[in-house]
Amino acid sequence: KLHELVHSRLDEHFKLSKVFHKSNFFLEVPLQSTLNQFRNDQNQLLLNVTRWWNNQRQRVQRWLSSVQAEDALSLSEKVVRYIEHHVPPSSNQAYTSIFLTKGYIGESFWVGRKAELQRVATLIKHWRKGYRGTVLLRGDRFSGKSLFGDLVSNRYFPNETIRLIPNAILNLHGRTFETTFDLGAVLDFISKYRFDQPPLIWLDDLELWHDPSCTIHQNTRALLRHMDHHTNSIFYLIAAGNPLCGYLESNHQLSNHFQAILPLDSMSQEEVQQAILIRHGATHKELVTKEGKVLEPSAFEQAVGRVFRASGGNIGEALNLWAYQTQRRNEEQVYQTKTGFFQLPNFIEADQAILLRTILLEKRTTEYRLRKRFGPAFSPRYAEALLRLQGVGLLTRHLDGWLELNEAAANSIIRQLKNKQYL
């Protein structure tokens, strides 16, 4: 019976001529079938909507949980968390060492700064013709001042550079001189026994030239006076951080004494990406996803973009952040974690701000120097603030006893001090 029914319906309804009959529907679906299909589709739609809603609710719940956990953390815990997320993974030291290496390691790793190098080349050319030769390199921490100065020294003055380092031994024409922290005495020694060829004086980290018996103001005055008297026979290349440059500008008008001031604070995203690629290539590791798949170029550019935005274009900080976020997968492969970059919380109080500003201008110090500077007010007021800063890791003590800002937090501290108008 079913067989006959199917044939009769096929003969009646399944006729090609009915395609051309506007009054009749071709293969008309019965109402009950339409209702059944709608019910099935509606159930699937309902399942999809329910699944989407559950996913969104779980995301909101996770966000609320993270907010509650964030609120539960104290200010000190947030500072420690920030410091801990700026420590390179110990299991990936072979990779991170390439990124964390400081100083001049050859021109093969050099990226960008074409305009600045061209400007220095022009200044040196004019200086050799008898014009003034004084250049100031300024920038935040990790902005590449030391590397830039070393490159200029090796490229234009390969055997004619006098590099000044405080509290060290200076050899000049077979004569030795202990530099201590008196910059004026060192410059007088150079004037007396300098090279026959016009040399380059390369002074990196002007902040380091100070002690209780010879202040940064005395050394700065000695430097500016020496530049005014010998600039035709000596090319001066001086590097200093932005906080000290701003401080000395208001007291000594640095811009009037230097032929050119080169700010090295930031680089473009393309240059940061090229620097990361060069260093990554030197590690001989393959960059993959956490699952071991080859990282697509678009994913690599996104990872570089995250690091670039977090560092504000500071080349050294970008390289450090890349190293901090890179984990070892196996002997041949590494991958980038996708965890966010925590911000340093707003922790600075008045006593801590004055203390941090002093340490920034001096770059490194000791309790003895701070006690000499602050006098009776140091104990217990600033001494306790100093202990709190050490306790949360914002100040680090080196093996030789010097105190210095934790490198991971230096630029964030500078930004907070600027916002609070302490710098």
Side-chain angles (χ1 to χ4, degrees):
K1 291 182 178 179
L2 289 174
H3 183 270
E4 292 177 356
L5 180 60
V6 168
H7 276 278
S8 64
R9 288 186 176 180
L10 282 173
D11 292 339
E12 181 180 356
H13 299 290
F14 202 77
K15 292 182 179 180
L16 187 61
S17 61
K18 286 198 172 186
V19 174
F20 304 99
H21 294 170
K22 295 182 180 181
S23 59
N24 296 326
F25 290 106
F26 180 62
L27 289 179
E28 184 177 4
V29 180
L31 178 61
Q32 187 61 42
S33 298
T34 304
L35 293 175
N36 292 337
Q37 186 64 37
F38 176 74
R39 187 181 299 111
N40 292 334
D41 293 342
Q42 190 179 39
N43 290 339
Q44 187 62 41
L45 178 63
L46 181 61
L47 288 174
N48 292 337
V49 171
T50 304
R51 189 181 299 111
W52 176 85
W53 174 255
N54 288 333
N55 291 336
Q56 299 305 313
R57 186 174 61 180
Q58 290 175 4
R59 291 180 62 184
V60 171
Q61 288 175 347
R62 286 196 299 268
W63 178 77
L64 290 175
S65 299
S66 65
V67 170
Q68 292 172 354
E70 185 75 12
D71 291 339
L73 293 177
S74 67
L75 202 59
S76 297
E77 288 177 305
K78 292 178 182 179
V79 172
V80 172
R81 181 184 62 181
Y82 174 87
I83 298 296
E84 284 297 306
H85 276 79
H86 286 73
V87 175
S90 58
S91 61
N92 200 27
Q93 189 174 4
Y95 183 88
T96 58
S97 60
I98 297 293
F99 285 84
L100 302 180
T101 300
K102 298 180 182 179
Y104 183 74
I105 53 177
E107 293 200 22
S108 59
F109 286 89
W110 182 260
V111 172
R113 309 287 195 200
K114 293 182 179 179
E116 291 84 353
L117 282 173
Q118 180 60 45
R119 191 174 174 187
V120 170
T122 302
L123 289 167
I124 294 174
K125 179 181 178 181
H126 290 166
W127 169 74
R128 297 191 189 280
K129 294 181 178 180
Y131 294 97
R132 188 177 180 87
T134 53
V135 177
L136 175 65
L137 308 177
R138 64 176 298 172
D140 293 328
R141 293 282 184 92
F142 313 118
S143 57
K145 302 184 295 296
S146 300
L147 181 58
F148 187 90
D150 289 340
L151 179 68
V152 171
S153 170
N154 284 276
R155 182 176 290 185
Y156 299 105
F157 300 91
N159 300 309
E160 304 164 0
T161 298
I162 304 173
R163 179 159 189 161
L164 300 186
I165 301 174
N167 201 24
I169 300 298
L170 175 64
N171 292 301
L172 194 62
H173 265 329
R175 295 175 173 86
T176 60
F177 183 82
E178 187 176 352
T179 59
T180 67
F181 293 95
D182 189 347
L183 183 56
V186 180
L187 294 173
D188 290 340
F189 174 78
I190 293 173
S191 301
K192 194 173 182 180
Y193 301 108
R194 71 169 182 263
F195 291 115
D196 295 332
Q197 283 290 111
L200 164 72
I201 287 183
W202 167 216
L203 192 156
D204 193 10
D205 286 329
L206 182 60
E207 295 92 334
L208 300 180
W209 287 90
H210 66 90
D211 68 357
S213 62
C214 194
T215 66
I216 189 67
H217 292 286
Q218 293 172 323
N219 283 329
T220 301
R221 282 194 295 268
L223 173 64
L224 298 180
R225 184 169 57 250
H226 197 270
M227 290 189 332
D228 290 337
H229 285 85
H230 300 279
T231 185
N232 293 329
S233 58
I234 298 175
F235 193 89
Y236 295 84
L237 187 62
I238 313 298
N242 283 332
L244 182 64
C245 287
Y247 178 66
L248 294 179
E249 178 65 30
S250 60
N251 291 279
H252 300 278
Q253 290 77 46
L254 291 184
S255 56
N256 295 333
H257 294 270
F258 284 93
Q259 190 79 350
I261 298 178
L262 303 182
L264 304 177
D265 293 302
S266 62
M267 299 178 70
S268 67
Q269 183 170 341
E270 291 75 15
E271 290 171 336
V272 171
Q273 179 171 317
Q274 187 180 356
I276 291 175
L277 274 175
I278 290 175
R279 283 161 176 78
H280 171 74
T283 64
H284 303 288
K285 303 287 184 182
E286 183 182 10
L287 188 62
V288 297
T289 64
K290 189 175 182 179
E291 294 75 22
K293 298 180 180 179
V294 177
L295 194 69
E296 296 293 334
S298 58
F300 173 76
E301 291 178 1
Q302 290 177 0
V304 173
R306 288 172 54 244
V307 169
F308 176 79
R309 289 187 295 272
S311 65
N314 184 304
I315 179 62
E317 195 165 350
L319 294 175
N320 289 348
L321 290 177
W322 183 271
Y324 302 151
Q325 293 286 302
T326 304
Q327 299 287 336
R328 176 180 179 274
R329 190 172 185 274
N330 53 44
E331 288 292 337
E332 305 295 333
Q333 296 178 332
V334 294
Y335 67 92
Q336 274 273 307
T337 60
K338 295 184 179 180
T339 56
F341 297 103
F342 291 104
Q343 299 295 322
L344 185 67
N346 188 3
F347 69 96
I348 297 179
E349 301 172 354
D351 292 347
Q352 294 174 336
I354 296 173
L355 196 60
L356 289 170
R357 178 179 181 272
T358 302
I359 297 174
L360 267 173
L361 294 177
E362 298 182 359
K363 192 166 184 179
R364 62 183 186 181
T365 188
T366 61
E367 284 89 343
Y368 171 75
R369 292 190 175 199
L370 291 173
R371 193 175 293 109
K372 284 286 188 180
R373 175 178 288 274
F374 288 102
F378 180 75
S379 297
R381 180 178 177 183
Y382 294 105
E384 293 177 354
L386 189 70
L387 290 174
R388 289 196 297 271
L389 291 173
Q390 292 183 68
V392 295
L394 290 174
L395 282 181
T396 57
R397 185 185 298 277
H398 299 291
L399 295 176
D400 55 6
W402 288 98
L403 285 170
E404 190 173 349
L405 285 180
N406 191 315
E407 291 184 342
N411 285 332
S412 295
I413 291 174
I414 291 173
R415 286 190 287 267
Q416 289 196 19
L417 290 175
K418 286 182 178 178
N419 292 336
K420 293 180 178 291
Q421 298 183 348
Y422 285 99
L423 286 177

